[in-house]
Every structure is written in C-alpha cells, then in structure tokens.
Amino acid sequence: MSNDTVFLKIVKGEIPADVVYRDELVTAFRDLHPQAPVHVLIVPNHVIPTAADVTEADEAALGRLFLAARTVAEQEGIAEDGYRLIVNCRAHGGQEVDHLHLHLLGGEPLGPMHVRRD
Ligand code: AMP
C-alpha cells in the first residue's frame, strides 16, 4: 500500500482529477467539492505536509504556487473581478489533506473571509 497523499497520487496521474494546469513544480486541479463557481487546488509536486513545515528548499515551489494561481485565474476568467487564495494549516485551520495546497476560489462575491463563532 502506498503512503502517498491523495494529492501526490493526482500529481503522479495515479488517480483521476480535472487538471487545469501543470508544470515541473506545481499541479492545479478542480476541487472535488467546490465551494464557489471556480474552486481549484494548487499543490507542489512534492509533498510539504503543512504550511508549518515549509523550508528554504521549498521556496521555488511555493513561489510557483502564486504564479500558477495567477495563470489559472486568468484561464478561468476570474482575474479581473478578483478571487480568494486560502491555505489551511493543521487542525485549527481545518486542513484535511496533509499536502500543502492553495485554494483558488472565485466566480462570485465570496463574502467575509471568516465568520467568528462566539
Ligand atoms: P483542506 O481542508 O484545506 O485540506 O482542503 C482539502 C480539499 O481537498 C477539500 O476542499 C476537498 O474537497 C478536496 N479534495 C479531497 N480529495 C480530493 C480529490 N481526490 N480531488 C479533488 N479535490 C479533493
């Protein structure tokens, strides 16, 4: 049994995904359960478990995540109106998949970034 994350399996082409962008450092694919008209996940092609685990060796891939986000936003036609980029980290951030990923959300006004629960 492989210990690869589900996102690494997508990067390797071992499980299907709707890939919208790919280069030597990052891969972008549509979220299985979209929270907005456009919901794309952009992941490094190597596993960084969480934002709390990044190292200097990851700088190129981390920078590329933002360049890919810009490219995909343009491809999806949401660049002009704007969008939201989110990285959830560990338990309190609500991270479900331990392979760092940038959520690209857009296609409609997204409302407040965070609703505080009192
Ligand atoms: P997070 O809570 O930040 O870890 O987000 C994980 C995201 O991955 C969720 O929005 C899921 O809907 C999405 N997801 C999980 N498995 C897949 C998959 N096989 N293909 C596409 N998106 C997925």
Side-chain angles (χ1 to χ4, degrees), residues 5 8 11 24-27 43-49 55 57-62 99-100:
T5 67
L8 190 60
V11 168
E24 81 282 12
L25 290 177
V26 304
T27 300
V43 308
N45 290 347
H46 71 288
V47 177
I48 305 167
T55 71
D58 302 316
E59 277 187 1
L62 294 170
H99 183 146
L100 188 149

Side-chain angles (χ1 to χ4, degrees), residues 71-84:
T71 298
V72 173
E74 287 167 1
Q75 279 176 195
E76 297 290 323
I78 62 171
E80 194 173 330
D81 284 338
Y83 48 88
R84 184 170 293 159

Side-chain angles (χ1 to χ4, degrees), residues 6-7 10 15-17 29-35 39 41 86-89 93-99 101 103:
V6 62
F7 292 169
I10 289 172
I15 60 172
F29 49 90
R30 293 192 197 284
D31 196 291
L32 214 48
H33 304 290
Q35 304 297 314
H39 188 172
L41 302 175
I86 298 174
V87 176
N88 295 321
C89 180
Q95 184 176 359
E96 292 170 9
V97 179
D98 282 347
H99 183 146
H101 47 283
H103 292 257

